[in-house]
Amino acid sequence: MRQLTLNDVKAAVKGGSIFASGGGGWVDHGLEIGSAAITIGRPKLVSIDELPDDAIIVTATAIGAPAGTTDWQMLGKDYIKAVQLLQERLGRKITGLMTPQNGMSSSINGWLPAAALDLVVVDAVGDIRAHPTGKMGSLGLAGSLDYETIQVVAGGKPETGSYIELVVTGTPAKTSNILRIASDMSGGFIACARHPLPAKFIKENAALGGISRAIELGNAIIKAEKEDTSKVVDAICQTTKGKIIGQGTVIKKEIRYSVGYDIGTITIDTEDGLLTLHVMNEYMAVDNQKGQRVASFPDVITTLEPGTGRPVSVGHVKEGEQLSIFNIAKENLPLSTGVKDSSVYPEVEKVLGIDLAKYALEGHALVR
């Protein structure tokens, strides 16, 4: 157990921005929420081994499209309110909070409500990288008919009538769909608390140490930035065992917003040919011009500025700019039960019109 600091906030946002895979929230939002957390309380990061097996852990997150295409508002108090509402509905003490994914602000998701409500931040994630659906970060429960979950959302603009508080119970699949609609109705981005589970279940199904990994990567980036920004990409690759799989000019960006998702493709012209990045909030796959899969979820796929190594999210990608495509193969990542759950893929495959499950689950070879 250790107390989280402002340096940890900065590092978690830096490292989380790589694991964000083009989505995962906003840097400014992560810094604001993280700074508020260490200002109003003393949030502590704990490993799952430090908690009793029956301690209740809740996932704190945000739901919506990160590309900035909607008029949304979510305040720090919304994260707190969502956890409070879940606590009231559960009727039992919550011990800690975890995040379903790393990201620009996602890595910080639980820090503010943990500080405000005297809970701990658990060093575990539902997925080491960011992903589009709540089902992917649901620790293998997405298709379960036996687990009755509680899911809560809070957020929106009261002045426009879009503020929503919603508590739902039921199967993870059905309640997740309801929350996605609520996010869209609130403006496209909303705070969420969900899935109260015992620590023993988290230990057996989560990607453990996910927050520490983001902080470690962030510290490596910060150190490289102080020495020479040209060393940042090397620092990212060395720390993660990742690599650059292509670099070139963005020649086409076709992204549309639909019910809480940013969907489409980004095409980059590299010296080895065209690479197409498939987007559903985050980068889910990369195909070459022969239609061969180069990288695929649950790989980390992130676009970087070639000179500085700064991550460029989907919403900030512009046609005509130079970008590098960074990849961490799934073999070099801790994988949760959630990304090994076959039930989470059909929905995303239908939207994108590509195969994902066969690469994620069956180990099909990629063109590396």
Side-chain angles (χ1 to χ4, degrees), residues 3-254:
Q3 185 173 313
L4 292 163
T5 67
L6 182 58
N7 287 336
D8 291 321
V9 171
K10 295 175 180 177
V13 171
K14 286 276 188 182
S17 296
I18 302 299
F19 290 119
S21 296
W26 292 264
V27 168
D28 288 347
H29 186 64
L31 292 173
E32 288 171 0
I33 298 301
S35 298
I38 58 104
T39 299
I40 71 167
R42 296 290 183 266
K44 294 178 176 61
L45 183 68
V46 304
S47 73
I48 198 67
D49 292 328
E50 296 177 84
L51 300 175
D53 284 350
D54 60 352
I56 298 299
I57 310 303
V58 166
T59 296
T61 185
I63 299 173
T69 54
T70 60
D71 181 26
W72 63 274
Q73 174 178 284
M74 185 169 51
L75 305 177
K77 65 180 182 179
D78 298 326
Y79 285 100
I80 299 170
K81 185 65 174 181
V83 175
Q84 288 176 318
L85 289 172
L86 189 147
Q87 172 82 78
E88 291 172 7
R89 178 64 179 82
L90 180 65
R92 293 180 58 190
K93 176 178 172 53
I94 295 170
T95 298
L97 301 175
M98 61 176 282
T99 181
Q101 63 179 35
N102 276 306
M104 294 184 171
S105 52
S106 304
S107 299
I108 307 290
N109 278 337
W111 297 22
L112 179 57
L117 303 174
D118 196 26
L119 309 174
V120 296
V121 177
V122 181
D123 193 6
V125 293
D127 185 1
I128 193 72
R129 57 153 284 170
H131 49 256
T133 71
K135 298 168 189 175
M136 287 177 159
S138 291
L139 305 170
L141 293 170
S144 173
L145 300 179
D146 299 323
Y147 173 62
E148 182 178 87
T149 189
I150 304 170
Q151 299 210 55
V152 179
V153 288
K157 289 186 173 182
E159 63 270 25
T160 64
S162 65
Y163 181 83
I164 291 174
E165 291 179 4
L166 177 68
V167 180
V168 295
T169 62
T171 64
K174 293 297 185 182
T175 53
S176 292
N177 291 340
I178 292 169
L179 265 57
R180 179 64 58 175
I181 295 170
S183 171
D184 182 57
M185 294 175 66
S186 75
F189 200 53
I190 198 166
C192 174
R194 68 186 187 216
H195 302 340
L197 291 161
K200 185 176 187 295
F201 185 90
I202 303 301
K203 185 175 183 178
E204 294 170 351
N205 293 279
L208 303 180
I211 299 301
S212 292
R213 283 206 177 204
I215 292 173
E216 176 191 19
L217 176 55
N219 281 326
I221 293 170
I222 291 169
K223 181 180 178 182
E225 287 174 337
K226 290 178 179 177
E227 295 175 359
D228 183 348
T229 55
S230 66
K231 297 180 179 179
V232 170
V233 173
D234 286 342
I236 294 171
C237 292
Q238 290 169 10
T239 305
T240 62
K241 297 182 180 179
K243 64 180 182 179
I244 301 298
I245 58 173
Q247 179 176 315
T249 304
V250 179
I251 61 170
K252 185 182 294 184
K253 177 182 179 181
E254 296 181 315

